[in-house]
Amino acid sequence: MKYILALLLSFSFLFADAKSTLFSPLLKPLDYDKQKALLGKELFNDKRISADKKISCRSCHSTYETFNKKHGKSDLNPPSILNSYLNYIHSFDGKITNLKEKINLCLTSGAELKSDPEFIVKQIKRNPRYAFKFKRLYKDGITYENAIDAIIEFLKATVTPNSKFDKFIAGDENALSQDEKDGFDLFMRIGCVNCHNGVNLGGNIVSLLGYEGMALKVPSLRNVSLRSVYLHNGTLNDLLQTIEFMNERMNLKNFTQKDYELLYKFLLALTGEFPEILHE
């Protein structure tokens, strides 16, 4: 139980729900409107709402993996959408904390879909299936605001609960192996939790550690072992190598190969269940 107590003490200021208890899972499935979420999924995948009709939101923001694709005028690595609804920060520079604002920017930014509200509404209205669904799901039918709302419902559906770590935090002492528990203990002791904290173990603050000369959002560690590239610039493609890189940036002394292995095993335990909506 010492690991659970240590975690709760470190995370106590981040628990939004005062009713959270020692045996509550850290990450739970969210309530969402399934039909709106499915509509949002279609919009998320639809290239026809982009200015050139060649890219969609999914083109850059993947499910489990992240890819080293150009993000605007920089080489920032677009994050996965999984659990993104639960982040406090929704932009690399930490300036956007409102999800609606972020989605609007993704749709209209010259660095991303390069679209605009009027064009998106026009494209939606051209699709009879969309017209039917919006009329059925929203009192005022097709509007730009409703399109964003549907995408948000989709993001609510993409949480990945029931990782081994969540089960452990919920009170199952056997959910983690001894090596994974030792890795968690090390994660706490060396200060990883100072940046990678909260429900997503990241996504709450900006830091200078991850990218030269820039203060950028600390990424979530959930499902980290399933990504294809790492760091904000996507320059590493191996998780253990990334742990070693971060150790060098943090300038930790007397770190052994066993320590690296323990942290690696703990991070593997952060992989949750794949969202049902992504199978539909």
Side-chain angles (χ1 to χ4, degrees):
M1 296 300 292
K2 67 176 182 178
Y3 304 99
I4 298 177
L5 290 172
L7 183 74
L8 290 178
L9 286 173
S10 297
F11 290 177
S12 59
F13 67 98
L14 292 162
F15 277 109
D17 183 1
K19 296 181 180 178
S20 295
T21 67
L22 185 63
F23 299 104
S24 294
L26 191 60
L27 181 63
K28 305 176 188 177
L30 300 175
D31 292 330
Y32 64 91
D33 185 309
K34 185 173 182 179
Q35 294 308 311
K36 288 183 179 179
L38 289 170
L39 174 58
K41 178 183 177 181
E42 288 189 67
L43 293 170
F44 187 86
N45 294 330
D46 197 340
K47 296 180 179 180
R48 293 169 295 183
I49 64 174
S50 66
D52 60 8
K53 303 179 184 178
K54 293 182 179 179
I55 63 171
S56 67
C57 300
R58 187 180 179 181
S59 298
C60 293
H61 300 280
S62 68
T63 50
Y64 268 135
E65 298 83 8
T66 55
F67 303 96
N68 186 18
K69 294 187 176 182
K70 192 172 179 62
H71 184 87
K73 296 181 180 179
S74 68
D75 290 316
L76 295 178
N77 177 30
S80 168
I81 65 167
L82 298 183
N83 306 304
S84 62
Y85 178 83
L86 299 171
N87 286 338
Y88 172 71
I89 293 175
H90 295 289
S91 62
F92 278 110
D93 59 10
K95 295 179 179 179
I96 299 178
T97 58
N98 182 287
L99 186 54
K100 289 183 180 180
E101 181 183 350
K102 176 57 180 175
I103 293 173
N104 173 64
L105 184 63
C106 289
L107 294 173
T108 62
S109 168
E112 298 180 66
L113 265 64
K114 304 179 182 180
S115 195
D116 65 75
E118 184 177 347
F119 177 78
I120 290 173
V121 168
K122 182 179 179 180
Q123 290 299 94
I124 291 174
K125 286 182 176 179
R126 285 181 172 179
N127 187 321
R129 186 177 71 255
Y130 279 155
F132 172 77
K133 290 184 178 181
F134 271 91
K135 183 177 181 180
R136 180 165 57 91
L137 296 173
Y138 293 97
K139 291 181 179 180
D140 50 351
I142 298 173
T143 69
Y144 182 63
E145 292 73 19
N146 289 343
I148 290 180
D149 180 76
I151 293 173
I152 289 176
E153 288 300 307
F154 169 58
L155 295 180
K156 286 182 183 179
T158 59
V159 298
T160 60
N162 297 321
S163 69
K164 293 170 67 176
F165 178 64
D166 290 306
K167 293 174 182 177
F168 178 71
I169 295 303
D172 183 357
E173 286 282 340
N174 297 318
L176 296 183
S177 68
Q178 189 56 53
D179 277 354
E180 290 165 342
K181 291 177 183 177
D182 290 344
F184 177 30
D185 186 49
L186 183 61
F187 181 87
M188 301 290 292
R189 286 191 289 105
I190 65 176
C192 300
V193 71
N194 292 338
C195 293
H196 294 283
N197 51 42
V199 67
N200 273 343
L201 285 82
N204 300 304
I205 64 172
V206 295
S207 170
L208 286 170
L209 279 176
Y211 201 72
E212 291 291 345
M214 298 176 67
L216 296 172
K217 180 178 75 172
V218 173
S220 166
L221 292 181
R222 287 194 173 276
N223 310 301
V224 66
S225 66
L226 300 177
R227 298 175 188 172
S228 56
V229 293
Y230 298 93
L231 305 183
H232 291 92
N233 57 1
T235 54
L236 298 178
N237 57 16
D238 179 83
L239 179 56
L240 189 56
Q241 183 184 11
T242 303
I243 296 172
E244 294 171 352
F245 172 85
M246 292 307 299
N247 175 52
E248 293 174 3
R249 298 302 299 271
M250 294 174 69
N251 196 30
L252 298 175
K253 305 297 183 182
N254 303 317
F255 219 69
T256 68
Q257 187 60 38
K258 178 66 174 178
D259 290 331
Y260 285 121
E261 293 173 0
L262 291 175
L263 276 179
Y264 178 77
K265 289 180 179 180
F266 168 64
L267 293 180
L268 296 184
L270 300 179
T271 301
E273 295 177 354
F274 196 70
E276 179 183 348
I277 197 167
L278 297 178
H279 290 299
E280 298 186 22

